[in-house]
Amino acid sequence: MEKVIVITGASRGIGAATALLAAREGYRICINYQTDEQAAHRVLEQVRELGAEAITVRADVSIEDEVTHLFNRVDAELGRVTALVNNAGTVGQKSRVEEMSEFRLLKIMKTNVVGPILCAKHAVQRMSTLHGGQGGSIVNVSSVAARLGSPSEYVDYAASKGALDTFTVGLSREVAGEGIRVNAVRPGYIHTDFHALSGDPDRVSKLESTIPMGRGGQASEVAEAIIWLLSDKASYSTGTFVDLGGGR
Ligand code: NAP
C-alpha cells in the first residue's frame, strides 16, 4: 500500500521536521500551512530533494470547507490518505484566565480542538474499512501542558490539549476495529518559533534549568516519535501517549 501522509502545520517547527522524516520513510506528503506560503515551499523543496512526492496546501484546519478542499487535493494528487498528523496548533500571549477574551478562547479551541477533529473526520472517511478504506494511522500533537495545566501562562491552551487527549482516547476506541490506530505525542519545551506567539521567543532557553534533562527538545526528536507511532512498528499501540518532555 502506498503511504500518503497529511501533516497539518508543516511549514515550520515540529510539522516541518515530521515532513522531512516522512520523506526519508517513503511517504507521499501533503504539507499543510495556514499563512506562510514561502516557508511551506522551502519544506516542499527539501522533501523533494530527498526524493519524496509532495504538495503544499493552504488551509485553515478550523474551517471545514478548507479541510474538505485539502483532502480532495490529496485524493487527486497523492492518493488515498493513510496517515494524518494533527500538528497545527496555536497559543495566545502569556495571561491569567481573568484577562482572556472570548475571541482568544474561541481561536484556541477552534484551532487546537475543532481543527484536529475535523481533519480526523475527513481522514476516517477515507481510511475506515467501514467506508471501503484500507485502514491508517493518526497521531495528534498534544502537549505536556495537558498534564501540567500551564498556570499563569496559558491555561486555555493546556485545556485545549486536554481535550485533544480525550479525543485521542475516544476516537482510538471508536475506530480500533476499522483498521485505524490513533495515538498522540505530548512534547514539552521544544525549540521552535511557537514560543514567539506567547510573547517570549527565548522561552525554552530561559527555562532549561527547570527541565530535568537540562535542555529543551528539538523538533526532530518529536518527529521521530510521530513517525514511529504512525508506522507498523507501533502496530499494537492505539489510544496511547508518548511524552517528550525531557523528564517534565
Ligand atoms: P510552530 O513552529 O508555531 O508551527 C505551527 C504550525 O501550525 C505552522 O506551520 C502554522 O502555519 C500552523 N498553523 C497554525 N494555525 C493553523 C491553522 N489554523 N491551520 C493550519 N495550520 C495552522 O509550532 P510548533 O512548535 O512546531 O508546534 C506544533 C504543534 O506542537 C502544536 O500543536 C503545538 O501546540 C505543539 N507543541 C509545541 C511545543 C513547543 O514547545 N514548541 C510543545 C508542546 C506542544 P503558518 O506558519 O502558515 O501560520
Side-chain angles (χ1 to χ4, degrees):
M1 186 164 68
E2 293 288 348
K3 297 194 291 186
V4 177
I5 189 169
V6 171
I7 307 169
T8 67
S11 57
R12 54 196 161 90
I14 293 167
T18 304
L20 292 182
L21 201 51
R24 294 196 173 88
E25 294 295 321
Y27 284 92
R28 294 181 184 165
I29 306 166
C30 171
I31 299 159
N32 159 254
Y33 66 100
Q34 183 184 21
T35 54
D36 196 342
E37 186 178 359
Q38 283 189 343
H41 275 273
R42 281 195 295 275
V43 178
L44 180 70
E45 281 169 20
Q46 287 175 305
V47 301
R48 284 186 174 160
E49 272 169 28
L50 291 166
E53 205 177 312
I55 59 172
T56 60
V57 182
R58 200 212 73 76
D60 179 338
V61 294
S62 70
I63 299 175
E64 185 159 26
D65 281 353
E66 299 190 14
V67 173
T68 300
H69 166 75
L70 184 155
F71 279 90
N72 286 344
R73 278 203 52 198
V74 171
D75 288 341
E77 297 174 46
L78 298 177
R80 191 184 278 247
V81 64
T82 63
L84 167 67
V85 183
N86 269 322
N87 167 76
T90 194
V91 68
Q93 290 274 317
K94 180 177 166 175
S95 310
R96 285 175 53 93
V97 168
E98 61 265 41
E99 296 158 354
M100 291 177 187
S101 68
E102 180 189 26
F103 177 82
R104 167 191 168 127
L105 296 176
L106 289 175
K107 185 177 179 205
I108 297 280
M109 294 300 163
K110 278 201 82 181
T111 305
N112 295 0
V113 184
V114 177
I117 296 176
L118 284 175
C119 290
K121 166 185 168 176
H122 287 263
V124 167
Q125 286 171 350
R126 290 158 172 83
M127 293 173 175
S128 171
T129 52
L130 205 62
H131 305 302
Q134 293 186 299
S137 185
I138 297 172
V139 171
N140 296 323
V141 181
S142 174
S143 171
V144 296
R147 283 195 279 104
L148 302 175
S150 306
S152 304
E153 286 192 314
Y154 26 70
V155 166
D156 53 346
Y157 169 81
S160 76
K161 294 300 186 178
L164 189 59
D165 285 4
T166 302
F167 174 64
T168 301
V169 172
L171 182 66
S172 73
R173 293 177 184 173
E174 189 163 302
V175 298
E178 300 165 27
I180 306 173
R181 294 184 300 103
V182 186
N183 293 289
V185 293
R186 287 193 294 217
Y189 296 134
I190 309 298
H191 289 283
T192 71
D193 295 340
F194 190 73
H195 306 283
L197 298 171
S198 68
D200 187 357
D202 300 324
R203 184 164 173 271
V204 177
S205 303
K206 287 179 187 163
L207 290 171
E208 277 181 331
S209 63
T210 68
I211 303 170
M213 283 179 69
R215 67 172 180 87
Q218 298 297 329
S220 58
E221 295 179 289
V222 182
E224 289 284 354
I226 292 171
I227 292 293
W228 178 78
L229 282 169
L230 290 174
S231 77
D232 289 343
K233 291 177 185 167
S235 54
Y236 202 51
S237 293
T238 199
T240 62
F241 302 87
V242 176
D243 284 18
L244 301 131
R248 281 176 74 233

